Amino acid sequence: MLQPICFWRQEGTRLSKALVPLLTVFNKGFLGQLKDLLMDEDPSVRAKTCELLHLLTAHSTGRQALLSSSLLPPLSQLLDDSSISCRRNVHRVLNRLSLLPAGAEALLTLVPKLLLKLSEEEEDDEEVQVLLLSTLSRCSRLDTLPALASDGVSLLGQKLSHRSPNIRREAAAVLMALSVPEEGKLQVCDEALLPVLIGLLQDKDVEVQANAAGVIMYTVIITRGKQQCLDLDVIPILLHMVTKNEEEEDAKERKALIMYSLQALTSLAEVPKGRSLLLPRLPLLTRRSEAAEEDGDIRKAAQTAVRVITWTP
């Protein structure tokens, strides 16, 4: 039987010791008590209650139960709580909720506020920023409109040069999701982010490189993206991404980097200037398109690139 709500108020500092027996408890009475605790005047009680929710949402059943409850509004209000511990646990809970498509959809209304938090007091808290960005990435893969309508591209662009590779990686991941629709591509161009993204192709972190290549891949689909990238002399850098470290291509991140780079090169080859720059480097791509031992997806992408580069009207 659950302890009365007053027990949790009195024993707030020891709440974490009692979490394990509660992991399988999801009845409405229990969640109702938690709703009251989220609004408790004691910051330690609010923080511990969020910690409990974080543990509960480690399980899919817990995430679904939380989404079906009325806890999300009071929980989201704690994004502005005075306790950094409480705010951090809220971000942990929201991040786990976003693992479910229904969770990401439920959080779409919070996207403007989450973007705002990127430039507020969480600036020096790497964990919170990574959680924020990861949550935004999942939400934006479902629907880009809330972030695009909230100056998301500009705000995320400021994180591309962050000292933390984790933050650079997650910021580029969100931008990749936002650059899928045409409006996102245009905003990437308008915010002059392509020079920064091209610079990230030489980042020490391969996931940062891959995500940056993904944004470039989507942006060069439009004419402005092509023009800006060609003016920035991106082709030699993309070719280097395609040909370097071949022994590591079994890694998922390395494969993504190569695939995105090949598809970006293919789009650039659709215009005369891009094609003329790529024709002298054709042997590099031809080798990848013909090698029997090559990864099948990479070989097909290279074949498409070669076909577009050598196309004649």
Side-chain angles (χ1 to χ4, degrees):
M1 181 179 295
L2 291 175
Q3 297 286 353
I5 193 169
C6 60
F7 170 82
W8 301 114
R9 286 202 174 98
Q10 294 170 1
E11 302 294 328
T13 58
R14 298 192 301 172
L15 181 56
S16 60
K17 297 180 180 179
L19 296 179
V20 175
L22 295 175
L23 289 176
T24 58
V25 180
F26 301 110
N27 62 69
K28 293 182 179 179
F30 173 66
L31 292 177
Q33 291 192 53
L34 292 188
K35 184 176 182 179
D36 291 333
L37 291 174
L38 287 173
M39 298 180 285
D40 195 275
E41 61 182 15
D42 188 334
S44 67
V45 172
R46 298 195 301 272
K48 287 297 182 179
T49 305
C50 292
E51 182 181 347
L52 171 57
L53 288 173
H54 176 236
L55 289 180
L56 291 176
T57 51
H59 302 265
S60 179
T61 303
R63 293 192 284 270
Q64 292 171 348
L66 179 53
L67 288 171
S68 299
S69 73
S70 59
L71 288 180
L72 194 54
L75 181 67
S76 62
Q77 291 178 11
L78 296 182
L79 286 168
D80 298 314
D81 197 83
S82 59
S83 166
I84 179 59
S85 176
C86 183
R87 296 198 303 272
R88 187 179 295 113
N89 281 321
V90 172
H91 285 297
R92 289 168 176 165
V93 173
L94 297 181
N95 188 257
R96 282 184 169 170
L97 288 178
S98 70
L99 290 169
L100 295 176
E105 183 176 8
L107 296 179
L108 286 173
T109 57
L110 285 179
V111 165
K113 185 168 188 176
L114 293 176
L115 283 167
L116 185 62
K117 300 301 289 184
L118 280 176
S119 56
E120 292 186 347
E121 76 274 18
E122 321 298 354
E123 175 65 31
D124 296 323
D125 193 319
E126 179 176 343
E127 181 190 358
V128 167
Q129 288 205 55
V130 170
L131 288 168
L132 259 169
L133 291 165
S134 176
T135 301
L136 286 167
S137 180
R138 293 171 187 149
C139 291
S140 297
R141 287 198 292 269
L142 188 67
D143 186 351
T144 60
L145 184 58
L148 290 175
S150 304
D151 203 24
V153 170
S154 176
L155 290 170
L156 292 162
Q158 298 171 24
K159 300 298 178 181
L160 294 177
S161 302
H162 198 280
R163 63 184 181 277
S164 166
N166 295 323
I167 292 176
R168 295 197 301 273
R169 178 180 64 248
E170 296 298 335
V174 187
L175 276 175
M176 180 161 59
L178 296 183
S179 62
V180 173
E182 183 176 7
E183 178 59 29
K185 297 175 176 63
L186 292 171
Q187 289 191 28
V188 169
C189 295
D190 290 341
E191 295 295 331
L193 296 184
L194 285 170
V196 183
L197 290 161
I198 291 172
L200 290 181
L201 291 177
Q202 302 177 63
D203 197 277
K204 294 181 180 180
D205 187 302
V206 68
E207 291 187 70
V208 173
Q209 291 178 316
N211 290 341
V215 182
I216 294 169
M217 171 191 69
Y218 284 122
T219 307
V220 294
I221 291 174
I222 63 173
T223 300
R224 284 181 60 191
K226 288 183 175 70
Q227 293 173 340
Q228 288 190 18
C229 280
L230 288 171
D231 290 343
L232 292 165
D233 200 22
V234 73
I235 284 180
I237 302 173
L238 289 173
L239 285 169
H240 183 58
M241 296 299 101
V242 170
T243 58
K244 76 171 186 176
N245 296 326
E246 296 185 5
E247 70 279 1
E248 299 180 14
E249 288 170 10
D250 57 334
K252 179 180 179 181
E253 295 80 8
R254 179 67 60 188
K255 178 178 177 179
L257 172 59
I258 295 170
M259 291 291 293
Y260 296 156
S261 298
L262 282 169
Q263 291 176 51
L265 289 168
T266 301
S267 292
L268 291 169
E270 293 172 351
V271 295
K273 181 178 179 180
R275 187 176 299 113
S276 65
L277 291 171
L278 282 165
L279 277 171
R281 312 298 292 273
L282 195 59
L284 293 174
L285 298 173
T286 302
R287 285 198 295 271
R288 306 224 66 158
S289 69
E290 296 177 347
E293 69 279 5
E294 183 65 85
D295 175 272
D297 294 329
I298 292 176
R299 184 169 61 249
K300 290 178 182 178
Q303 290 170 352
T304 300
V306 169
R307 186 165 59 252
V308 174
I309 293 169
T310 57
W311 178 83
T312 53

